[in-house]
Amino acid sequence: MDPKTASNLSFVLNKPHDVTFVERPAPSLQNEHDVLVAVNYTGICGSDVHYWQHGAIGHFVVKDPMVLGHESAGTVVAAGSAVATLKVGDRVALEPGYPCRRCAPCLSGHYNLCPDMRFAATPPYDGTLTGFWTAPADFCYKLPDSVSLQEGALIEPLAVAVHIVRQACVSPGQSVVVMGAGPVGLLCAAVARAFGATTVVSVDIVESKLRFATSFYSTHAYVSQRVSAEENAANIKKLAGLPAGADAVIDASGAEPSIQTSLHTVRNGGTYVQGGMGRDNITFPIMALCLKEVTAKGSFRYGSGDYSLAVELVASGKVEVKKLISEVVAFKDAESAFNKVKQGEVIKILIGGPNEKIA
């Protein structure tokens, strides 16, 4: 595909609920280590929807028109002279954030904590709902022949789940409870099973999500009730046969009641990981955390090795991400796709690139 003649139509957020399609000049290689990628498919993340609805997430505020999207896969159409790992025609999953490579977090292997991270569709940086995207070659992961480009667009949320489950230090034979059965929660359950967890409980308030969870990778599902956190925790432990509690509890919801229930569900000496984002401040059961000597961790995006492992989990068949794809739509239907995600009508919807032909 020639970027000089193909479309670089972009899906641009101007302000909340105000999006337009803009034909922009195609980008060019910035240095000899970059590749130029034609974007084939892009998934919609909750953060994309939040920017579309509110124009901000925390202190990240959309002040100028911004291209949305960051869950993408595409095909290399040009490569810098120093690129040795990729060539024109290679299909890749795009890791959409590029660190400075020089700060203390970067040098310690925690580049996801880089204060100068340039992350797609996070103000002021444009995202990947566009025709062409330039990226450092080492942040583009070649897809094996057995992995489709549509599956490649799901590597990003899978890498998020890989990072969360790694933070939880899940090992074979353990029990894991995942609060929230959205895409990331479902993928956390899948990764936990791939890591050897034998009991994986999904918790949500929507029964249809939980029915899917048990057809995916969860061994148990619990519909959260309008009762105290302690009672919900007791119900979860009884359901899963975990009288002492779960070895690890992951919150992938960001909801205050789920977070409270999590601390009463984890066993003494267990691990709690906060993966979902919610309100800045909540009421937190600090006594449960202290008395049970729980190890509590945050989890933010993904770090070294997470993307590579995500690709391997899909290639090996250990995580069948294609089961999450509810629908694939043409680029012109991007706003309609955002509405479907907002309304909870889909698990994962993919938007074809502006040069992709969708039947």
Side-chain angles (χ1 to χ4, degrees):
M1 185 183 299
D2 186 350
K4 294 179 181 179
T5 57
S7 173
N8 194 47
L9 194 65
S10 304
F11 187 62
V12 179
L13 175 69
N14 300 303
K15 58 185 179 181
H17 296 287
D18 179 2
V19 289
T20 51
F21 292 97
V22 180
E23 187 70 48
R24 292 185 165 189
S28 56
L29 299 176
Q30 298 300 302
N31 62 59
E32 66 272 20
H33 297 284
D34 283 356
V35 292
L36 179 63
V37 177
V39 179
N40 294 104
Y41 295 99
T42 299
I44 301 174
C45 176
S47 65
D48 292 315
V49 175
H50 198 89
Y51 279 123
W52 173 57
Q53 288 186 273
H54 305 288
I57 295 179
H59 65 277
F60 294 107
V61 180
V62 178
K63 298 178 181 179
D64 299 299
M66 180 184 78
V67 178
L68 291 167
H70 62 268
E71 300 180 0
S72 295
T75 305
V76 176
V77 296
S81 59
V83 176
T85 56
L86 296 171
K87 64 182 184 303
V88 172
D90 282 345
R91 302 169 314 118
V92 295
L94 301 174
E95 182 170 352
Y98 317 126
C100 76
R101 306 174 189 258
R102 290 176 290 276
C103 67
C106 283
L107 295 175
S108 67
H110 301 285
Y111 67 77
N112 57 315
L113 303 180
C114 174
D116 294 321
M117 175 70 76
R118 301 169 63 91
F119 200 86
T122 298
Y125 304 110
D126 285 324
T128 59
L129 273 169
T130 186
F132 296 91
W133 178 259
T134 53
D138 55 333
F139 280 76
C140 297
Y141 298 80
K142 185 176 179 180
L143 297 175
D145 292 341
S146 60
V147 179
S148 71
L149 280 162
Q150 291 185 4
E151 290 171 314
L154 292 175
I155 296 299
E156 196 275 349
L158 180 56
V160 171
V162 166
H163 192 70
I164 291 171
V165 176
R166 277 180 155 176
Q167 289 288 85
C169 301
V170 173
S171 59
Q174 286 195 321
S175 55
V176 180
V177 173
V178 181
M179 300 290 181
V184 170
L186 292 168
L187 288 169
C188 283
V191 175
R193 288 293 299 276
F195 279 22
T198 50
T199 299
V200 176
V201 186
S202 284
V203 180
D204 205 287
I205 59 174
V206 181
E207 290 190 43
S208 60
K209 290 183 177 181
L210 294 174
R211 285 195 296 271
F212 180 85
T214 52
S215 73
F216 196 47
Y217 289 94
S218 300
T219 61
H220 300 74
Y222 175 73
V223 181
S224 187
Q225 306 296 308
R226 291 184 176 275
V227 296
S228 68
E230 291 88 344
E231 188 172 344
N232 269 322
N235 292 342
I236 293 167
K237 289 186 282 188
K238 182 178 180 180
L239 170 72
L242 302 171
D247 295 306
V249 179
I250 292 165
D251 177 73
S253 72
E256 183 173 331
S258 294
I259 294 167
Q260 293 166 343
T261 299
S262 296
L263 272 296
H264 295 292
T265 303
V266 67
R267 67 167 171 80
N268 290 355
T271 302
Y272 169 70
V273 177
Q274 185 62 47
M277 293 186 179
R279 298 205 333 252
D280 288 349
N281 297 292
I282 63 167
T283 300
F284 186 84
I286 191 169
M287 285 303 291
L289 178 77
C290 293
L291 296 177
K292 296 165 82 171
E293 204 167 272
V294 174
T295 298
K297 300 179 182 179
S299 187
F300 186 54
R301 294 174 178 158
Y302 20 73
S304 181
D306 293 331
Y307 246 78
S308 296
L309 180 54
V311 172
E312 173 57 28
L313 288 173
V314 177
S316 65
K318 291 181 179 177
V319 177
E320 295 185 77
V321 292
K322 61 186 176 184
K323 290 184 177 180
L324 297 180
I325 301 172
S326 303
E327 189 178 352
V328 181
V329 303
F331 197 79
K332 64 181 178 64
D333 298 319
E335 187 169 11
S336 172
F338 270 68
N339 267 307
K340 288 182 178 181
V341 174
K342 177 189 173 185
Q343 298 301 326
E345 297 175 13
V346 293
I347 299 173
K348 208 67 182 175
I349 190 167
L350 300 184
I351 301 170
N355 300 295
E356 195 73 16
K357 294 181 179 179
I358 305 298

